[in-house]
Amino acid sequence: MMGFGMLLGLPLMLLTLLVLVAVPVLVLVWLVRGVNPVASQPFFPAAAPTAIAVCPNCHRGVQAGWQNCAYCGQKLKA
Ligand SMILES: [Zn+2]
């Protein structure tokens, strides 16, 4: 009797625990994405709006002030 009760109670307890943990996390993620539009944008460092130049070697976006390309190491400033 006791063994059957534990067998039934343990998965139910784990499920409750999972729901209690997962729901606040999902709500938090949803809230963060809803409030902050930047968080919902796909993360592409090379296509970031701060990229104002293109590396002559690998043709990826580089930022002003960079001495070398962060992707291939190409020297950017003469
Ligand atoms: Zn490069």
Side-chain angles (χ1 to χ4, degrees), residues 55 58 69 72 74:
C55 171
C58 68
C69 175
C72 70
Q74 168 74 35

Side-chain angles (χ1 to χ4, degrees), residues 53-64:
V54 169
C55 171
N57 188 48
C58 68
H59 304 288
R60 294 175 89 160
V62 292
Q63 287 177 33

Side-chain angles (χ1 to χ4, degrees), residues 5-7 16-17 23 29 37 39 47 51 54 56 60 62 72 74-75 78:
M6 276 185 74
L7 210 75
T16 309
L17 204 78
V23 167
V29 168
V54 169
R60 294 175 89 160
V62 292
C72 70
Q74 168 74 35
K75 197 173 165 71

Side-chain angles (χ1 to χ4, degrees), residues 11 21 24-25 36 41 51 63-64 78:
V21 171
V25 168
N36 190 358
Q41 282 176 2
Q63 287 177 33

